[in-house]
């Protein structure tokens, strides 16, 4: 069972609109949760990394939230731009020096 | 500097060729990783080097051979690959363990013909 589940799998949004991506994780013990942005054919770029004590973290137009009780995280994109079209991946350490990757939220921003 | 540099960006090789992928970081990180990523799939871990020693090999075929010459460099030697090995190969580094933040390189797009 994948320890990181993301939804929706894909979405299309109009330029300038906001959207929210969801991540449910079951990795244990929890140490941190990360969001990465990956453009097609490129390596993932870190957006945020959140520890147990943090429930909100922003990076420009990206804001991540974390609810450690429900083991849910969200990534909110404000005033989307065409360059936001990418896959957004939720990632958490899962022990044995390995990472658990979600399958990603594929976002397409249209003019 | 939070950059992980991978070369080459693109590589086309025949099934009888020998080639190498290179990765470099200057963040003082002591853990370095190779991942393989197929289209529309999450990255799959291949190897982990910790303090320049191979600590994890995820049962990767021997046609892939990793090397860590020093704490800043990581190589992946390729020999007798198959077309199904075509993928994006990602290098990553982190301070020491995987639960510290990992930084990824831009990847090498490998095509085996």
């Amino acid at each position: 069972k994948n320890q990181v589940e993301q939804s929706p799998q894909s979405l299309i949004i109009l330029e300038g609109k906001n959207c929210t991506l969801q991540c449910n994780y079951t990795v244990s013990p929890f140490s941190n949760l990360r969001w990465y942005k990956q453009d097609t054919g490129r390596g993932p770029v870190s957006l945020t990394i959140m520890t147990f004590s943090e429930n909100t973290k922003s990076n420009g137009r990206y804001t991540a939230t974390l609810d450690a009780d429900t083991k849910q995280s969200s990534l909110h994109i404000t005033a989307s731009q065409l360059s936001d079209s990418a896959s957004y991946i939720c990632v958490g350490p899962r022990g044995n020096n390995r990472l658990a990757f979600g399958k990603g939220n594929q976002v397409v921003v249209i003019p | 500097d939070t950059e992980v540099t991978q070369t080459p960006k693109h590589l086309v090789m025949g099934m009888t060729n020998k080639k190498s992928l290179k990765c470099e970081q200057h963040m003082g990180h002591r853990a370095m990783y190779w991942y393989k990523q197929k289209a529309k799939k999450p990255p799959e871990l291949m190897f982990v080097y910790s303090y320049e020693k191979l600590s994890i090999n995820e049962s990767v075929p021997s046609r892939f051979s990793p090397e860590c010459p020093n704490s800043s460099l990581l190589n992946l030697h390729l020999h007798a690959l198959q077309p199904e090995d075509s993928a994006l190969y990602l290098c990553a580094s982190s301070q020491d363990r995987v639960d510290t933040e990992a930084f990824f390189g831009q990847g090498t797009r490998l095509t085996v013909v």
Side-chain angles (χ1 to χ4, degrees), chain B residues 1-5 24-29 103:
Chain B
D1 179 11
T2 58
E3 191 170 327
V4 177
T5 303
E24 189 169 5
Q25 58 87 14
H26 295 288
M27 294 177 276
H29 288 173
F103 295 87

Side-chain angles (χ1 to χ4, degrees), chain A residues 51-99:
Chain A
T51 60
F52 184 85
S53 60
E54 299 171 303
N55 55 22
T56 302
K57 202 164 196 178
S58 291
N59 177 358
R61 294 181 296 101
Y62 301 102
T63 298
T65 64
L66 178 66
D67 185 331
D69 291 331
T70 61
K71 295 190 174 181
Q72 293 182 333
S73 178
S74 64
L75 182 70
H76 186 75
I77 305 175
T78 303
S80 60
Q81 300 177 358
L82 297 178
S83 59
D84 293 331
S85 295
S87 179
Y88 293 83
I89 308 173
C90 182
V91 184
R94 63 176 177 91
N96 294 324
N97 212 20
R98 289 166 172 80
L99 294 174

Side-chain angles (χ1 to χ4, degrees), chain A residues 1-6 24-27 90 94 99-104, chain B residues 42:
Chain A
K1 176 175 164 57
N2 193 344
Q3 294 173 290
V4 180
E5 300 286 346
Q6 294 187 242
N24 294 336
Y25 60 94
T26 57
V27 290
C90 182
R94 63 176 177 91
L99 294 174
F101 290 84
K103 293 184 178 180

Side-chain angles (χ1 to χ4, degrees), chain B:
Chain B
D1 179 11
T2 58
E3 191 170 327
V4 177
T5 303
Q6 288 188 244
T7 56
K9 288 185 171 54
H10 302 276
L11 178 63
V12 179
M13 62 184 291
M15 290 188 283
T16 59
N17 291 158
K18 286 185 181 181
K19 297 286 184 183
S20 297
L21 309 185
K22 297 185 183 303
C23 175
E24 189 169 5
Q25 58 87 14
H26 295 288
M27 294 177 276
H29 288 173
R30 303 313 299 270
M32 296 185 76
Y33 312 82
W34 281 115
Y35 288 88
K36 173 183 177 181
Q37 187 177 26
K38 292 285 212 179
K40 300 188 186 302
K41 298 287 188 181
E44 298 174 3
L45 183 65
M46 299 175 72
F47 302 104
V48 179
Y49 272 84
S50 179
Y51 292 86
E52 300 158 53
K53 294 190 189 307
L54 182 65
S55 61
I56 295 176
N57 175 343
E58 292 284 49
S59 302
V60 179
S62 60
R63 58 185 183 268
F64 295 91
S65 175
E67 178 196 20
C68 188
N70 59 56
S71 60
S72 300
L73 294 174
L74 187 65
N75 298 323
L76 186 63
H77 302 298
L78 314 172
H79 173 55
L81 295 193
Q82 303 297 310
E84 59 265 28
D85 296 322
S86 299
L88 182 67
Y89 287 84
L90 296 167
C91 174
S93 71
S94 64
Q95 188 171 353
D96 48 14
R97 302 183 324 177
V98 76
D99 55 357
T100 57
E101 187 171 10
F103 295 87
F104 286 83
Q106 286 302 292
T108 294
R109 169 63 64 189
L110 174 67
T111 303
V112 182
V113 298

